[in-house]
Amino acid sequence: MTTTQTGLDTTAGAGGTDLELVHDVADRLVTAMTSVIEGKPEVVRTTVTVLFAGGHLLIEDVPGVGKTMLAKALARSIDATVRRIQFTPDLLPSDVTGVSVFNQDARRFEFRPGAIFANVVVGDEINRASPKTQSALLESMEERQVTVDGTTYTLQAPFIVMATQNPIEMEGTYPLPEAQRDRFMARISMGYPSAQAELELLETHGASSPLEGLAPVTDADTINRVVEAVTRVHASPAVRQYIVDLVARTRATTALRLGASPRAALQLLRAARAHAALEGRDHVIPDDVQLLASPVLAHRLMPSSETQLARRTTADVVVDLLRQVPVPPAAR
């Protein structure tokens, strides 16, 4: 087995190099998902990037723009186990994690897995559940395991939680606490489609949903290989320092009262590696970091009162900080 100077394996099976595998799987996923999600190629690519980086995705936008459709499109494109959780105020933590039930015949307790035991978990309207139920996701999202009655159960890889929430209608909701938001690698918004994309939407979705005819284009084992390949994409010391400087600046600016955590820096690096691999590169460049800085960092930050009064978002602050932090040369 041979490797390049950057440490990336160049003999990953019959499909060619690791980078070729990543690029091929990405193309197939993007093609399948864009057949359902009209006019949002950048949103689809960000979703695939988070999957390849081994992270979780929070989709936040107004109703009816395709949040759940995006999550379902990714789930149907992969031949893997999929579970959907409709978060409601009466949903219990045991509905998510599972519960031990006493078997009278065997005279012992048996564990019945909850909805979190799947490769792809679609959480619809996550902020409708109580904080107690929301917290049931913390261990599984961070450690890929579930502990019930003192026993720990490992979740099968790949594992991704794709949660949706509506930021406008807040009555009867429980906003995600900072610790919960920090578990999501990225937050994206769908946005309204362009007039042309909406016209095409009426053409393709008017009679039936393209989601019904969507067939898997890859499987769980292949996704695991892709995630492993992404971890070997090279990030130079200069690029890593750039990430640290950017995250440190979020903690120093007066525009924010809560900056990004060390976990945010780590997940920004992972996402940048995945994006570089999607672009066919075996190394990260500053452009990868800049492109993903807002989706990865903005939802983890808390604006100061002055920023809120100025009607500026944390995404606006991240854009400002990107202008302030010196960009290193794209050296390998």
Side-chain angles (χ1 to χ4, degrees):
M1 181 176 290
T2 59
T3 57
T4 65
Q5 291 183 346
T6 61
L8 191 65
D9 178 16
T10 60
T11 57
T17 67
D18 279 349
L19 280 180
E20 289 172 348
L21 173 67
V22 174
H23 198 265
D24 177 59
V25 175
D27 280 349
R28 282 187 274 143
L29 282 173
V30 169
T31 300
M33 293 174 67
T34 50
S35 70
V36 177
I37 307 299
E38 303 282 352
K40 296 293 177 183
E42 70 288 345
V43 170
V44 170
R45 285 191 71 83
T46 301
T47 301
V48 175
T49 298
V50 171
L51 172 69
F52 287 5
H56 306 291
L57 184 66
L58 180 62
I59 312 168
E60 185 178 276
D61 216 320
V62 297
V65 293
K67 301 187 299 293
T68 306
M69 185 72 74
L70 175 69
K72 287 182 176 180
L74 177 66
R76 290 212 178 190
S77 299
I78 304 172
D79 185 11
T81 56
V82 179
R83 298 291 294 273
R84 181 178 181 273
I85 308 174
Q86 180 64 56
F87 284 88
T88 56
D90 61 348
L91 189 73
L92 299 176
S94 58
D95 296 328
V96 176
T97 59
V99 64
S100 294
V101 178
F102 186 72
N103 186 326
Q104 291 188 352
D105 295 334
R107 294 190 176 278
R108 58 185 173 85
F109 282 94
E110 296 179 348
F111 178 67
R112 294 186 178 177
I116 200 68
F117 284 83
N119 298 122
V120 181
V121 178
V122 179
D124 206 7
E125 295 190 282
I126 189 173
N127 56 339
R128 295 281 175 190
S130 67
K132 186 176 182 179
T133 301
Q134 291 176 7
S135 65
L137 292 167
L138 292 176
E139 180 186 14
S140 59
M141 292 177 68
E142 178 64 18
E143 301 174 43
R144 273 29 179 206
Q145 65 183 29
V146 171
T147 302
V148 177
D149 295 335
T151 303
T152 299
Y153 305 90
T154 302
L155 297 173
Q156 189 175 8
F159 173 65
I160 179 173
V161 175
M162 299 181 67
T164 71
Q165 69 173 3
N166 171 18
I168 306 299
E169 162 49 22
M170 301 304 293
E171 185 176 352
T173 65
Y174 304 87
L176 293 179
E178 287 74 25
Q180 186 78 40
R181 293 203 307 267
D182 205 40
R183 296 300 199 276
F184 288 98
M185 174 174 283
R187 179 189 65 182
I188 60 174
S189 296
M190 298 293 293
Y192 289 114
S194 64
Q196 182 61 35
E198 196 158 10
L199 184 61
E200 293 174 1
L201 179 76
L202 298 182
E203 287 269 346
T204 56
H205 293 249
S208 62
S209 173
L211 194 63
E212 297 175 1
L214 194 61
V217 295
T218 186
D219 56 29
D221 290 338
T222 302
I223 296 298
N224 283 333
R225 291 174 58 197
V226 167
V227 172
E228 177 63 26
V230 163
T231 63
R232 296 193 292 272
V233 172
H234 178 68
S236 69
V239 169
R240 295 199 298 270
Q241 185 64 52
Y242 181 50
I243 292 174
V244 170
D245 291 344
L246 179 60
V247 170
R249 191 66 66 93
T250 67
R251 303 166 190 159
T253 179
T254 57
L256 301 171
R257 58 189 178 94
L258 177 67
S261 65
R263 183 190 287 121
L266 182 60
Q267 299 216 343
L268 181 55
L269 174 61
R270 290 174 178 169
R273 279 177 167 152
H275 185 265
L278 258 69
E279 294 295 313
R281 281 183 276 104
D282 64 354
H283 62 284
V284 180
I285 62 175
D287 288 356
D288 299 318
V289 177
Q290 293 172 345
L291 185 67
L292 291 161
S294 185
V296 173
L297 299 180
H299 66 289
R300 308 169 190 271
L301 311 175
M302 295 183 65
S304 65
S305 55
E306 291 80 5
T307 301
Q308 290 177 307
L309 287 172
R311 297 181 180 274
R312 302 182 72 240
T313 66
T314 52
D316 296 329
V317 176
V318 171
V319 171
D320 290 344
L321 297 181
L322 285 171
R323 297 192 188 103
Q324 298 171 17
V325 178
V327 179
R332 296 176 65 166

